[in-house]
Amino acid sequence: MSGTTFSGAEICRQLDRLAASSTSFDELLTTAVGLLHEAHPRFHWTGIYELFPDNTLRLGPFVGAPTDHVFISVGRGVCGSAVAEKCDKIVPDVSKEPNYLACSSATKSELVVLIRKGDEIFAQIDIDSHELDAFDAATTVEVRKVAKWLADAYHTRRRHRDG
């Protein structure tokens, strides 16, 4: 992987500014996806799948080609297995992943980072690349910073909605 890096912390600062200006939750999610997608030249499809109580991931905002995978059951595919196993997934070569759901024939590698607070999973960031082994440790760390910011936003939203 090339040495191209980006700042997840800078994306979080931009999201902080928007949140302070009363930007809606949905707009924050859309902005986060857009900023992430633009942050790295190897990010060819970037989206958020939200986890619903029926153990289904539902596609939220995304940038890239449309996908038929709007709903994914927990345990199915890389996205569903990340939730089932409660861990992030880095797939350097999707052709070697037996549980891979092909969204695009151009996708060669995938990164899934859970948006979670403690044991509670709210959603996930899913990023596909047309290049093999596109996601190094530094890139993953930066995406996790954005996922943590989003987890705090989901938690706050849920607390205000339920409380």
Side-chain angles (χ1 to χ4, degrees):
M1 163 145 199
S2 72
T4 304
T5 59
F6 69 95
S7 172
E10 177 54 34
I11 291 173
C12 293
R13 282 190 289 277
Q14 291 180 53
L15 294 171
D16 279 338
R17 286 192 290 275
L18 287 172
S21 70
S22 301
T23 300
S24 75
F25 182 75
D26 289 339
E27 288 178 77
L28 288 171
L29 293 179
T30 299
T31 300
V33 168
L35 291 171
L36 269 171
H37 189 77
E38 294 171 9
H40 202 293
R42 289 187 170 200
F43 294 3
H44 296 108
W45 190 97
T46 307
I48 290 178
Y49 280 96
E50 295 185 284
L51 181 61
F52 280 74
D54 64 354
N55 276 334
T56 300
L57 291 162
R58 297 181 190 173
L59 183 61
F62 70 93
V63 177
T67 177
D68 291 336
H69 298 119
V70 177
F71 303 100
I72 301 173
S73 298
V74 170
R76 192 162 179 257
V78 176
C79 290
S81 66
V83 173
E85 298 169 20
K86 297 177 175 31
C87 66
D88 300 341
K89 297 278 187 174
I90 302 169
V91 182
D93 183 351
V94 297
S95 71
K96 295 186 170 132
E97 178 64 36
N99 199 18
Y100 177 67
L101 297 175
C103 293
S104 164
S105 60
T107 298
K108 304 289 185 233
S109 58
E110 183 172 11
L111 171 65
V112 176
V113 174
L114 298 176
I115 298 171
R116 68 189 301 166
K117 193 159 187 77
D119 289 336
E120 186 173 14
I121 298 170
F122 301 104
Q124 62 186 216
I125 298 169
D126 181 23
I127 304 173
D128 295 349
S129 180
H130 298 165
E131 299 179 38
L132 289 170
D133 201 17
F135 308 106
D136 62 10
T139 299
T140 304
V141 165
E142 297 307 312
V143 173
R144 284 179 177 145
K145 289 176 185 175
V146 177
K148 182 186 179 314
W149 192 98
L150 291 171
D152 289 341
Y154 271 99
H155 181 74
T156 300
R157 176 179 178 237
R158 185 163 291 168
R159 203 174 60 228
H160 288 296
R161 192 178 60 201
D162 297 344

